[in-house]
Amino acid sequence: MSTRVRRVLHAVLATCAGVAVTAALTATAPHGGAAAAAQGATPPAEDPFYTPPAPLPPGEPGDLIRSRESVFTIDPIGRSPYRGVKSWQVLYRSESVRGAPIAVSGTVLVPTKAWTGPGKRPLVSYTVGTRGLGDACAPSYTLTRGLDYEGLFIADALGKGWAVTITDMEGLGTPGQHTYEVGGSQGRAVLNMARAAQRLPGAGLGGNPVAVWGYSQGGTSAGWAAELAPTYAPDLRLTGVVAGGVPADLRAVAKSLDGSPFVALMFMAAVGYDTAYPGLNLGDYLNDRGRELLKRAENLCLLSFDGFSTLLTTAFRKISDYTTSNPLDTEQWQARLDANKLGSTAPGVPVFQSQAFLDEIIPFGQADTLYRAWCAKGANITWKTYGLAEHVTGAVRSEPDAIAFLTDRFAGKPVRGTCP
């Protein structure tokens, strides 16, 4: 294992171990006004910045609603800011999976050092993995606190001189429930985050080349951005996409998670879909234990005391332990999950897709099916698997490959991919 991979893995594990204690100390930070909020002192639920005007002002997807400068903290232990980067928190227009206009929050990070590479400074729209359902785990908040477990991945991109944007996605930060793993909404949020950064005064990113990078839930977001971009965001100069550990088929993922140590992730997705599609009526299927879990989970952040407790208490449970009947057996739920299944459209740019062979959360088989589906439609896919890796180590091992792939895309190098 390389020194770089060991460093990233150590940082990820240190963040996961220490974040619950630090979050408990910071979650009750007093409201200090706009200046304090910009430094992450105020959680989103208590910060007026995250509450959009009602109704939303006229505009197009990607238009800015408001922005403010912020302080980006990269070190989860020493809490030292990542130097040489100008950062903003933004509120911008996006669309729900049903096409309704919504406000989404996010972060824009731009190195202050002049770009010396060819053309304009590249822009990476980074898509985070699972945080939870509560507003306090929005990346635009956790990054300012030095509590984001993907902080060093983002720092590596910034170290290349690239600008980076990170969307909070629908309902994570802004009022309302997070539509967790609803790919159509997540993909739009990612593309519109890049648009918002290019329209942000002072960022200097207008018309710059764009790439998308994400793993796990972020892999879903990246995959959907890749499929949507040719028709939804043809104005973006998208050059490549990195999608790792992709939950491409949530019906297959749910079948694998049921009765596993990580079944809580499936329950979170049920909340996300019920929010995105009100007609699914999740509450009608729940027993008393299910209703209690739903109430507890609505503001849950995985990397917190409550999050760890929920993972432990739900481990190895089954859907039947929390329901009177299984919603996944109904045509309504199946139709909505299938509508957010990846693989129906070929991405228009080269994609690096990675998967840990021993992934205990995201089944290898459904990721391989996505690869074959994209190849069959003529996409340019580079598929790489990691044999002795599970979900977390798969993320760490894929990171240098992701950086190398994006470096080549921004340099305009051709790639043949691995499709037969």
Side-chain angles (χ1 to χ4, degrees):
M1 184 180 294
S2 70
T3 301
R4 182 184 189 186
V5 170
R6 285 198 299 270
R7 175 176 63 85
V8 174
L9 179 59
H10 180 269
V12 170
L13 295 177
T15 302
C16 291
V19 70
V21 175
T22 312
L25 296 174
T26 59
T28 56
H31 187 350
Q39 299 198 25
T42 307
E46 303 170 27
D47 187 346
F49 179 87
Y50 288 87
T51 302
L56 290 180
E60 300 294 328
D63 281 354
L64 286 163
I65 298 172
R66 63 174 69 111
S67 65
R68 68 183 179 192
E69 293 188 19
S70 60
V71 173
F72 175 56
T73 303
I74 188 63
D75 180 3
I77 306 301
R79 293 186 46 75
S80 60
Y82 186 85
R83 304 190 187 284
V85 172
K86 191 170 183 179
S87 60
W88 296 263
Q89 290 167 324
V90 299
L91 196 67
Y92 65 97
R93 287 179 64 104
S94 190
E95 292 181 322
S96 72
V97 70
R98 294 175 293 156
I102 58 174
V104 176
S105 51
T107 303
V108 178
L109 304 167
V110 182
T112 55
K113 187 177 179 180
W115 171 249
T116 58
K120 293 186 174 181
R121 184 191 304 274
L123 169 63
V124 174
S125 192
Y126 190 89
T127 67
V128 297
T130 298
R131 295 300 190 273
L133 299 175
D135 290 336
C137 33
S140 65
Y141 175 64
T142 59
L143 282 167
T144 64
R145 305 300 293 163
L147 300 174
D148 197 282
Y149 65 81
E150 291 174 88
L152 288 185
F153 292 176
I154 295 168
D156 274 352
L158 292 168
K160 297 284 291 184
W162 305 335
V164 180
T165 65
I166 308 100
T167 179
D168 291 339
M169 300 169 286
E170 180 179 356
L172 198 61
T174 50
Q177 195 66 60
H178 174 38
T179 52
Y180 177 68
E181 277 297 12
V182 179
S185 172
Q186 292 176 188
R188 288 172 174 83
V190 170
L191 295 170
N192 289 323
M193 180 75 255
R195 283 169 160 165
Q198 293 190 334
R199 298 169 191 176
L200 178 65
L205 299 174
N208 294 35
V210 176
V212 176
W213 176 15
Y215 187 90
S216 194
Q217 182 189 6
T220 303
S221 302
W224 269 95
E227 289 196 3
L228 287 170
T231 56
Y232 185 76
D235 51 299
L236 291 177
R237 290 178 54 199
L238 192 64
T239 61
V241 171
V242 172
V246 183
D249 179 355
L250 288 196
R251 290 174 67 181
V253 174
K255 184 177 180 180
S256 176
L257 287 175
D258 196 20
S260 79
F262 304 99
V263 67
L265 301 176
M266 178 179 61
F267 299 149
M268 285 171 49
V271 175
Y273 273 78
D274 186 57
T275 300
Y277 302 104
L280 292 179
N281 300 317
L282 176 62
D284 293 349
Y285 299 89
L286 301 179
N287 58 24
D288 289 344
R289 178 185 284 173
R291 284 188 286 271
E292 179 184 351
L293 178 62
L294 176 62
K295 183 177 180 181
R296 186 173 28 153
E298 287 177 341
N299 293 302
L300 189 72
C301 292
L302 284 185
L303 296 184
S304 68
F305 287 125
D306 287 343
F308 288 131
S309 173
T310 299
L311 283 174
L312 290 174
T313 57
T314 59
F316 303 107
R317 297 282 189 177
K318 289 185 167 290
I319 295 175
S320 57
D321 292 327
Y322 297 93
T323 61
T324 55
S325 61
N326 189 345
L328 298 182
D329 292 337
T330 68
E331 291 183 2
Q332 295 94 325
W333 276 82
Q334 291 174 4
R336 296 306 191 185
L337 292 171
D338 288 346
N340 289 272
K341 180 180 177 180
L342 283 165
S344 62
T345 302
V349 297
V351 175
F352 175 79
Q353 183 191 353
S354 67
Q355 181 68 33
F357 186 74
L358 301 178
D359 197 317
E360 74 283 26
I361 297 175
I362 308 303
F364 181 92
Q366 57 89 51
D368 183 66
T369 298
L370 172 63
Y371 164 59
R372 296 178 186 277
W374 273 343
C375 285
K377 292 177 172 57
N380 185 342
I381 311 298
T382 299
W383 168 243
K384 185 166 184 179
T385 62
Y386 304 94
L388 296 178
E390 45 69 66
H391 192 66
V392 172
T393 52
V396 175
R397 289 185 61 186
S398 68
E399 192 265 358
D401 292 327
I403 289 285
F405 181 84
L406 294 180
T407 298
D408 287 347
R409 300 294 71 73
F410 288 137
K413 295 182 179 179
V415 58
R416 293 186 61 183
T418 57
C419 289

